[in-house]
Amino acid sequence: MSDSSSENLILVSREPDGIATVTINRPASLNSLSQLMITDLARAFKDLGRDGSVRVIILSGSGRAFCSGLDLTAAEQVFKGGMTDKEYDPVFQMEQCPKPIIGAINGVAVTAGFEIALACDILVAAKGTQFMDTHTRFGIVPSWGLSQKLPRIIGPNKAREVSLTAMPFTAEEAQKLGFVNYVVEGTELLKKAREIARVVAHNNHDIVVRYKSVINDGFKLDLHKGLALEKERAYKYYDKITTEQFKKMQEFVAVRSSKKSSKL
């Protein structure tokens, strides 16, 4: 099943296997974002987060780029047009989305596109992809998290270099620093993203959602508080587990053990 909006500039598809795909589809403009596209992107993640049939989401860009950032011809409209409302903030909606989001990044991810990539849970990038933070070049103050997230992921010194120089940051560099999970040939980008998505979708969805939440929420805390958060949520979960659920866990382990033994 497929849906589209903004004259097909944001595409959403849902597959029977629980994988949904969101595509930024303005290739002639390197997928630069208009105000309407920003609104529709936020709505797409909010809707998919609530859709019980969706277990994991892939985010990609069509054509030669993932997202070249904000359409600067609409900058004033975006920055002063009520975009402070979190309802229309795609990064906020991605962060609130309980489903894992896999970013399939190709070409360039510039400024707003970089921030959207940072809101993904797992990143796959095509070889030669470049990330750029051009806030300092164009006189824009970041508001979708780049100034705070990037230093926490790649370290403050490298983040200062990337942001204060506005120079490209390659996918290969990003992988070495732990920002990008996989770098693949461009022809293999969506294939690799779907491969990861299928593995995630096959796992226990309730635990996947809980695990994403505890990682992301705990990352905002110091280690002591993060460990306390993990323990608190774990015990709340265990308190609700029934005897039947424990039996199913034991049966699952028994089946796996028997399969391993048969291969020896």
Side-chain angles (χ1 to χ4, degrees):
M1 180 178 68
S2 296
D3 312 306
S4 63
S5 56
S6 294
E7 298 180 358
N8 297 322
L9 299 181
I10 300 296
L11 304 177
V12 179
S13 65
R14 296 169 173 83
E15 304 299 331
D17 57 5
I19 300 173
T21 302
V22 178
T23 306
I24 305 171
N25 185 42
R26 197 187 184 193
S29 298
L30 298 180
N31 296 322
S32 62
L33 300 169
S34 66
Q35 183 178 23
L36 188 55
M37 290 170 69
I38 289 170
T39 299
D40 282 352
L41 192 59
R43 183 182 298 116
F45 280 101
K46 184 174 183 178
D47 291 346
L48 291 172
R50 294 174 171 178
D51 188 335
S53 70
V54 174
R55 300 171 75 89
V56 60
I57 303 165
I58 297 172
L59 173 62
S60 67
S62 62
R64 297 182 295 115
F66 172 70
C67 176
S68 61
L70 183 67
D71 182 345
L72 293 179
T73 63
E76 184 173 359
Q77 180 186 20
V78 170
F79 293 133
K80 295 187 176 182
M83 297 308 292
T84 55
D85 189 337
K86 292 179 179 179
E87 184 78 13
Y88 308 114
D89 180 337
V91 169
F92 177 80
Q93 293 301 334
M94 290 172 72
E95 291 170 342
Q96 294 299 303
C97 181
K99 317 298 173 62
I101 301 169
I102 299 170
I105 316 297
N106 63 301
V108 294
V110 180
T111 313
F114 198 162
E115 292 179 297
I116 289 170
L118 278 167
C120 296
D121 298 297
I122 299 172
L123 287 179
V124 183
K127 290 182 178 178
T129 293
Q130 295 185 330
F131 299 87
M132 288 182 68
D133 178 6
T134 61
H135 283 99
T136 58
R137 184 173 297 175
F138 293 106
I140 303 169
V141 177
S143 60
W144 282 354
L146 215 164
S147 70
Q148 300 304 304
K149 292 179 183 177
L150 193 62
R152 286 166 168 79
I153 297 171
I154 69 172
N157 283 10
K158 188 62 179 180
R160 280 190 286 263
E161 177 190 339
V162 170
S163 298
L164 302 185
T165 66
M167 295 293 288
F169 176 49
T170 68
E172 288 78 8
E173 286 181 277
Q175 184 183 35
K176 288 178 182 177
L177 291 170
F179 169 44
V180 166
N181 298 80
Y182 297 94
V183 177
V184 299
E185 295 292 342
T187 54
E188 298 292 308
L189 180 64
L190 288 176
K191 179 181 177 181
K192 184 63 177 179
R194 287 194 64 82
E195 176 186 309
I196 298 167
R198 282 194 293 269
V199 173
V200 173
H202 183 71
N203 288 332
N204 183 306
H205 182 59
D206 180 41
I207 299 301
V208 166
V209 169
R210 291 173 184 272
Y211 219 134
K212 169 181 170 170
S213 175
V214 77
I215 290 173
N216 290 358
D217 292 345
F219 191 66
K220 301 170 188 175
L221 307 172
D222 63 37
L223 179 59
H224 177 73
K225 291 180 179 177
L227 290 171
L229 176 70
E230 179 195 70
K231 196 171 294 293
E232 176 188 351
R233 292 191 182 180
Y235 287 144
K236 282 184 179 179
Y237 173 74
Y238 293 139
D239 284 345
K240 296 178 181 178
I241 292 183
T242 64
T243 302
E244 186 62 30
Q245 286 175 298
F246 276 115
K247 286 182 179 179
K248 287 182 179 180
M249 289 182 198
Q250 293 166 351
E251 290 169 2
F252 177 76
V253 172
V255 170
R256 285 191 62 184
S257 298
S258 64
K259 286 182 178 179
K260 287 181 180 180
S261 298
S262 66
K263 292 180 181 180
L264 296 178

